Amino acid sequence: MKTNVRLLAYRLLRKYEKEKFILREDVDSVLSFLDDKDRRFFKELVWGVVRKEELLDWYINQLLKKKDIPPAVRVALRMGAYQLLFMNSVPDYAAVSETVKLVKSENFKKLVNAVLRRLRTVPEPKELHLVYSHPEWIVNYWRSFLPEEAVLRIMKWNQEPLPVMLRVNSLATTKEEVIKILAEEGTEAVPGKHAPFSLVVRKLGISMNDSRVIKDGLASVQGESSQLVPFFMELKPGLRVLDTCAAPGGKTTAIAELVKDQGKILAVDISREKTQLVEKHAKRLKLSSIETKIADVERLTEYVQDTFDRILVDAPCTSLGTARNHPEVLRRVNKEDFKKFSEIQLRMVQQAWQLLEKGGILLYSTCTVTKEENTEVVKRFVSERKDVEVIDTRDKMKEFEVEGIWDGYGFLMLPDETITPFYVSVLRKMG
């Protein structure tokens, strides 16, 4: 019997509508039994509907007398609207009739049919938050502290899914060798523009998890913004390095590779489950310089008494910079979260600073775009201490051809094809 891919997408989107969260395990479990064509259709439909939520709702609402319709009907309408407006491969009659089949109530079947048949008569919206399908309050909030061109750039790139990026393990192989192995597996990859060991996957042959380059520890899947972070820590062999929010271990292992696996790297996280992820990653890459420890970073000095030459605080945050891969994050956060996370982040930096040697470097980073969690955290920390020097990273960013905004405390990377918004602040301990 033919798999009903639309029904599978509908069930997942119904769950998302309730929780504003999509478990990657749920997506993977569906993809595991679909053929290539159905996988592509399922992924585009699910992520497309989530990415375009505000825009789809606006179109639908233009044709509804009463906007307050059951969530199940709303989800079906979004799916139908997305197919009509954005999926050229789907004939209009199929987009309408197959969507109507998803709805149980006869009355609502008629409503869905009528709305979808008239959808193309609705003129396009003019408001930018609708054109780029972002919650209006987030766009207005960004405009309160970012230049208009930066806000536009973020919104535009959030419409484009991030390509799969690899970080080549420089201790084990070369970019050329990894490209060659991937080509043998039917995967096309090219060197990345920014990070020295990055590759961009242009066309996937087999699943990355099944690729020899991953299984044999020749490379890791890691976004290019994340790959760049350790390059601002002035790393060299023999250093003692602390990574405070280490799981799943992408930056920890990147640090180990950059110090040529010579030195002591302590990777800390809140649970055994998280530290095991780091250990698994280190083992796959055959790195021996990494140790792990379970600790609450907000009370770090109760767990760790050693001092370190370099400390990374890649802090938990509202993750607004990850919207290209996780578009649901834009609908999940609220302003209270900005404040809540900023307090946690400040405590983490204060604790980590106590373990930093004089002359040492602490790098604070987040993958979000909020003033509270970025500029304000560093500003507050710097204002309460006399022994902090903020290092200007603009020239270094220029070396890596990364564009962005320097606020006097840190640098916000602005997105392009492979960069996602990331905030980096580099602090040196004086004395």
Side-chain angles (χ1 to χ4, degrees):
M1 197 173 88
K2 181 89 172 82
T3 306
N4 188 338
V5 184
R6 284 182 179 86
L7 182 59
L8 295 170
Y10 177 68
R11 286 173 180 160
L12 189 64
L13 288 166
R14 287 279 288 116
K15 191 178 176 192
Y16 159 73
E17 182 58 19
K18 284 189 194 120
E19 300 169 6
K20 289 300 173 201
F21 197 86
I22 293 182
L23 277 173
R24 290 320 185 260
E25 292 84 352
D26 290 349
V27 176
D28 291 343
S29 70
V30 174
L31 295 177
S32 66
F33 60 81
L34 297 178
D35 63 28
D36 276 356
K37 187 182 170 193
D38 284 348
R39 282 166 75 108
R40 284 195 298 275
F41 184 88
F42 176 83
K43 280 161 70 174
E44 184 180 348
L45 186 53
V46 168
W47 294 118
V49 167
V50 177
R51 193 169 268 118
K52 303 281 189 188
E53 187 176 313
E54 288 75 19
L55 179 59
L56 297 173
D57 279 350
W58 181 85
Y59 271 105
I60 292 160
N61 288 343
Q62 304 308 301
L63 299 168
L64 291 177
K65 285 186 183 126
K66 289 182 181 172
K67 315 284 186 271
D68 188 18
I69 54 174
V73 179
R74 171 75 64 180
V75 170
L77 279 168
R78 284 177 189 157
M79 287 175 62
Y82 185 80
Q83 290 168 74
L84 285 166
L85 297 171
F86 299 105
M87 293 181 80
N88 295 331
S89 60
V90 180
D92 285 9
Y93 72 86
V96 176
S97 62
E98 294 301 317
T99 302
V100 170
K101 286 178 191 172
L102 298 172
V103 181
K104 288 178 180 163
S105 150
E106 281 304 320
N107 284 340
F108 282 118
K109 275 182 187 288
K110 287 174 186 164
L111 175 81
V112 169
N113 185 51
V115 168
L116 293 181
R117 285 187 183 284
R118 291 174 54 210
L119 199 73
R120 289 193 185 279
T121 66
V122 179
E124 291 180 5
K126 301 278 193 292
E127 299 92 328
L128 284 175
H129 78 276
L130 291 171
V131 172
Y132 295 110
S133 201
H134 279 59
E136 187 176 12
W137 76 267
I138 287 183
V139 177
N140 289 338
Y141 166 74
W142 282 339
R143 282 176 167 148
S144 72
F145 67 97
L146 291 173
E148 183 69 13
E149 60 269 24
V151 177
L152 267 176
R153 182 166 171 163
I154 292 168
M155 288 197 291
K156 278 180 183 173
W157 279 109
N158 280 348
Q159 301 304 299
E160 302 292 330
L162 194 66
V164 174
M165 300 293 302
L166 298 176
R167 183 191 83 233
V168 172
N169 180 356
S170 57
L171 302 182
T173 187
T174 63
K175 288 199 282 193
E176 292 71 26
E177 183 62 22
V178 171
I179 288 170
K180 184 166 162 277
I181 294 166
L182 289 170
E184 288 163 7
E185 298 173 343
T187 293
E188 184 192 328
V190 296
K193 179 181 170 185
H194 306 286
F197 304 114
S198 68
L199 295 178
V200 190
V201 175
R202 290 271 183 240
K203 181 170 136 305
L204 205 55
I206 59 172
S207 161
M208 270 290 107
N209 290 335
D210 298 327
S211 171
R212 196 188 124 202
V213 301
I214 299 299
K215 285 181 169 175
D216 292 357
L218 304 178
S220 304
V221 176
Q222 187 182 28
E224 202 164 21
S225 299
S226 287
Q227 289 187 44
L228 284 170
V229 168
F231 285 95
F232 293 88
M233 295 175 71
E234 297 180 20
L235 295 166
K236 57 190 178 195
L239 291 176
R240 292 160 299 158
V241 185
L242 173 65
D243 185 357
T244 60
C245 306
K251 294 185 189 72
T252 317
T253 52
I255 288 167
E257 288 166 16
L258 287 176
V259 300
K260 307 211 179 303
D261 206 22
Q262 296 165 30
K264 178 192 170 187
I265 299 163
L266 181 62
V268 166
D269 221 309
I270 193 76
S271 67
R272 183 73 194 118
E273 189 183 25
K274 284 180 178 281
T275 57
Q276 278 175 334
L277 286 174
V278 181
E279 288 164 12
K280 187 179 164 191
H281 207 5
K283 187 179 176 187
R284 180 181 64 80
L285 294 165
K286 301 173 184 63
L287 298 167
S288 58
S289 58
I290 297 168
E291 293 172 27
T292 63
K293 190 177 183 71
I294 300 164
D296 177 356
V297 182
E298 291 182 72
R299 303 186 353 256
L300 185 62
T301 51
E302 294 175 28
Y303 299 84
V304 181
Q305 279 75 48
D306 296 346
T307 57
F308 298 87
D309 306 301
R310 304 286 185 270
I311 298 179
L312 174 61
V313 182
D314 184 46
C317 64
T318 49
S319 305
L320 286 173
T322 68
R324 286 169 74 178
N325 273 356
H326 304 273
E328 71 272 27
V329 74
L330 294 170
R331 286 94 206 175
R332 198 168 63 234
V333 300
N334 58 59
K335 264 191 176 167
E336 289 70 47
D337 292 336
F338 305 164
K339 179 79 175 139
K340 182 183 81 181
F341 274 103
S342 72
E343 297 299 335
I344 293 167
Q345 292 151 351
L346 181 61
R347 285 194 290 274
M348 287 180 167
V349 174
Q350 288 166 335
Q351 284 285 299
W353 193 257
Q354 294 179 53
L355 304 177
L356 185 64
E357 284 279 1
K358 284 178 181 173
I361 286 171
L362 182 147
L363 190 148
Y364 172 74
S365 62
T366 76
C367 58
T368 198
V369 187
T370 77
K371 197 171 185 181
E372 291 84 344
E373 297 171 85
N374 294 340
T375 314
E376 292 303 325
V377 166
V378 183
K379 190 176 181 180
R380 283 169 68 190
F381 177 69
V382 169
S383 71
E384 65 190 29
R385 302 198 65 93
K386 300 261 195 295
D387 60 349
V388 188
E389 178 198 1
V390 179
I391 297 173
D392 189 336
T393 52
R394 280 176 287 191
D395 287 346
K396 191 96 172 153
M397 288 289 179
K398 204 175 279 182
E399 272 178 47
F400 293 125
E401 296 182 58
V402 175
E403 295 176 350
I405 296 166
W406 171 255
D407 62 16
Y409 296 94
F411 190 98
L412 177 67
M413 301 183 198
L414 288 174
D416 64 16
E417 190 200 357
T418 57
I419 291 285
T420 53
F422 225 91
Y423 187 80
V424 176
S425 175
V426 184
L427 309 172
R428 195 187 301 279
K429 197 169 199 175
M430 311 281 282

